[in-house]
Amino acid sequence: MQVTQGGNFAFHALMQMALACPGQATPIEGLAHSLGASPTYMAKLLQRLTRAGLVTSQRGRGGGYSLARPGRQITLWEIVAALQG
């Protein structure tokens, strides 16, 4: 199985969220910048991950994305499946 660029970005974004303080939202701009992706592209990827129940989003000041459940419970297959629709 070959992982797409989107899958690679999504995996690394989830890893960053897992390493963040529990319950703290990670801003999309920070994720995009650290991965070398555009914020618009990251928003599309994270929207799919949100629909799949892998991440949650928080709007407004201090908003961003965080894992919906512990990182140890999220598999690579779930990430790929969420992005493929």
Side-chain angles (χ1 to χ4, degrees):
M1 175 174 78
Q2 197 169 28
V3 178
T4 64
Q5 182 180 23
N8 188 36
F9 284 151
F11 174 75
H12 283 93
L14 289 172
M15 287 296 297
Q16 286 186 20
M17 288 181 233
L19 295 173
C21 295
Q24 180 181 350
T26 305
I28 196 165
E29 293 81 10
L31 289 171
H33 178 73
S34 67
L35 298 172
S38 75
T40 304
Y41 185 63
M42 285 304 299
K44 290 178 184 180
L45 292 176
L46 291 170
Q47 185 178 44
R48 289 182 176 189
L49 296 174
T50 301
R51 277 192 237 127
L54 300 177
V55 299
T56 58
S57 63
Q58 298 173 332
R59 291 182 167 219
R61 185 179 176 126
Y65 291 85
S66 56
L67 297 180
R69 57 184 194 256
R72 293 177 188 252
Q73 296 178 4
I74 298 174
T75 66
L76 182 57
W77 174 247
E78 287 179 294
I79 298 168
V80 171
L83 298 178
Q84 289 182 352

